Structures are given as C-alpha cells and as structure tokens.
Amino acid sequence: MTVRDTVTEEPSFVSTAVRRQSETEREQVVETRSTEVRWRSGARELLVVALLYAGYSVGRLLADDDLAAASDRAAQILHVERLVGLDLEWAWSTWLASHHVLAVAASYWYSVGHYTVTPAVLLWLWWSRSSAYSKERWTLVLASAIGLVVYVALPVAPPRLMGYVDVLATTATAGWWTEHASAPAGLGHLTNELAAMPSLHVGWAVWAGLAVWRLSRRPVVRLLAVAHPVVTSVVVVATANHWLLDVVAGAMLVLVVDAAVSVWRDRRARRPEAHEALEAAGGR
C-alpha cells in the first residue's frame, strides 16, 4: 500500500455511517411523501362525505311536498302492515311517549346518532381498514343515492304526520334540536318531512353495523355493531318517524347494494387490466 492510498482510503466505519445516514434520509423522504399522500386522500374523502350529506339534504328539499299524496302512500303502507299484523307504530309511540326519560333518550338517538356514527365509521375505515374502505364507501353512497331518488319520486308521510304521537316534538324542551320538532323560526322551509320510505336512518345504521362486524374481531365491538341498527330500528318506529316497512326497506336497500357492489368489484378484480388500474388509483 502506498502513502497516497493510505491517505485517501476512507475508514470502513465512516462509509458505514454515511450509508446509514443516507438510508435514514431516504426513509424520512418516503415517510413524508406517504403522509402527504394520506392527508390529500383524507381531504378528498372528506369532500366525498360532505357531498354525500349535501346530496342527502338537497334531495329531501327537492321532494314533492304534496302532503295529501304522501299521506295516501302512507295509508297504503299501513294497510299492508295491518294485513300481516305489523302495524306496531301506534302502540310503540304511545308507550314511549308515556315514559319521558326513554322518550328523551330515543329523541337524542334519532337526532344525533344518524349524523355521528356513520361519519365515525367512515373515518375508522379510512384510517384503519383502508383495504375495505373503497367498497364500503361506495355501498353507502349508492344506497343513499337510491334512497334519495325514491324520496323525490314517491314521497311518503311519516306516522307523526298521520295523527300518531310525535315523540320528538313532545321532548323538544330537553335541549336538543330537530328539523321538524324545534327548528328555529324561518328555517322550516329548509327540509322536506315527507321522506319516510325507505328509512335511511336504518339504512345507514345497517351499513355501519355490517362494516364494523366484518372488519372487527373484538366481541364487544361486534355486539355494538349489531345493537346499533337494532336500536335505531326500534327508535325510528317508536318516535313515529318511520313505518315498520320503511325500516325493512332501508335495511334491504343497503344489503342489496352491498351485495351488488361486492359482485361488481369481484368481477373487476378478475380482469388483469382493470385490477392494475384499480391498484394504480389506490383502490379508490
């Protein structure tokens, strides 16, 4: 070894340290880019949820406000329920109205749970179950869109507009706000109340429960996943906001759309080119 070689040769521990530093820097860059992509994706999905809610509200506004026609359809639903012995709305709503504490609890569940549990499940799916997020989100969006089309085309009056006890109205002094029981003066025109069939309250609850049941293995969480749509179904009927057949229709709508979306995605996954395009788009 010459003197020149001795002078210019880099010690091995120095080159190792340089390599490690370079690898660390590359990992930091990758992590930073991944975080940026995740936040951009999150912002996009938040926009989707906002549009879903806006569509839900606008769709209800566009529905025909002909109470007579909507009441006729409600009477037809009630007639079918009586034929099969499922006209439970009067008994449930009068019983609930006579139990004030339960009536208040049911009113809070009806007015708050619909708009909190669904976004919470969407956020959980996006953050912790990203592989399933796209499919579950599309199920929710499509089912909601179909429900809104029915609202616009065939509005149906809820039981509370057919002479049944309006439990939300009787408990409105408990401190919560609803679109029909305690809306501030001048805001009554911002919603259409003839949107009973199908029950998207129940539909969204079934969607949330089904998604959590599939993707969680914790017994307590799965129990809550089952309880949420069951309690919601009882609440919407007992508060006289939906007919029992509205509940069945809302649940069936989500289950059918869920099955259809699953079949559609399975077929796309079997096509190599479509599958690659889906992966390139992040499954979303």
Side-chain angles (χ1 to χ4, degrees):
M1 181 182 295
T2 64
V3 174
R4 182 178 180 180
D5 293 335
T6 305
V7 172
T8 59
E9 184 177 4
E10 185 181 61
S12 60
F13 72 86
V14 174
S15 60
T16 300
V18 170
R19 285 197 302 272
R20 289 178 178 174
Q21 182 178 0
S22 178
E23 292 174 357
T24 301
E25 291 175 350
R26 283 197 297 270
E27 291 174 355
Q28 290 175 345
V29 170
V30 170
E31 183 178 354
T32 299
R33 290 178 178 174
S34 177
T35 301
E36 291 175 354
V37 169
R38 192 170 181 82
W39 279 112
R40 284 199 298 270
S41 173
R44 184 176 65 247
E45 297 305 327
L46 184 61
L47 177 61
V48 170
V49 174
L51 290 175
L52 175 63
Y53 177 75
Y56 177 80
S57 301
V58 171
R60 289 172 64 99
L61 266 175
L62 294 176
D64 187 357
D65 59 357
D66 185 350
L67 178 59
S71 297
D72 288 342
R73 296 187 187 96
Q76 293 171 7
I77 291 175
L78 180 58
H79 176 67
V80 173
E81 289 186 350
R82 284 174 174 167
L83 287 177
V84 294
L86 293 178
D87 53 326
L88 306 174
E89 296 83 5
W90 182 265
W92 287 15
S93 60
T94 53
W95 181 89
L96 182 62
S98 65
H99 296 77
H100 183 69
V101 174
L102 289 177
V104 170
S107 297
Y108 270 106
W109 186 288
Y110 179 87
S111 60
V112 177
H114 187 50
Y115 301 105
T116 55
V117 174
T118 303
V121 172
L122 269 173
L123 179 62
W124 173 72
L125 289 168
W126 174 75
W127 186 260
S128 302
R129 301 292 188 275
S130 57
S131 61
Y133 176 82
S134 176
K135 185 262 179 185
E136 301 297 344
R137 184 250 278 153
W138 275 115
T139 298
L140 179 64
V141 170
L142 293 176
S144 299
I146 294 171
L148 291 175
V149 169
V150 177
Y151 289 166
V152 173
L154 298 169
V156 175
R160 59 185 172 77
L161 294 183
M162 298 285 289
Y164 291 65
V165 180
D166 188 342
V167 174
L168 272 73
T170 64
T171 59
T173 57
W176 52 271
W177 176 90
T178 68
E179 59 191 19
H180 62 268
S182 56
L187 294 184
H189 65 285
L190 294 180
T191 185
N192 189 301
E193 300 180 33
L194 308 179
M197 170 68 79
S199 172
L200 284 185
H201 265 78
V202 172
W204 286 15
V206 169
W207 171 85
L210 190 61
V212 173
W213 174 273
R214 283 174 177 158
L215 300 170
S216 177
R217 293 293 177 265
R218 298 176 60 183
V220 173
V221 174
R222 299 188 87 183
L223 178 61
L224 292 175
V226 173
H228 178 54
V230 171
V231 173
T232 299
S233 297
V234 173
V235 164
V236 300
V237 174
T239 56
N241 280 284
H242 286 282
W243 306 97
L244 190 58
L245 288 184
D246 299 341
V247 170
V248 175
M252 291 302 300
L253 171 62
V254 168
L255 293 176
V256 170
V257 171
D258 178 81
V261 171
S262 296
V263 170
W264 176 73
R265 287 179 64 88
D266 288 344
R267 288 181 177 177
R268 283 181 62 88
R270 295 191 189 102
R271 303 174 188 173
E273 294 182 1
H275 184 64
E276 291 176 4
L278 188 63
E279 289 295 328
R284 302 176 184 179

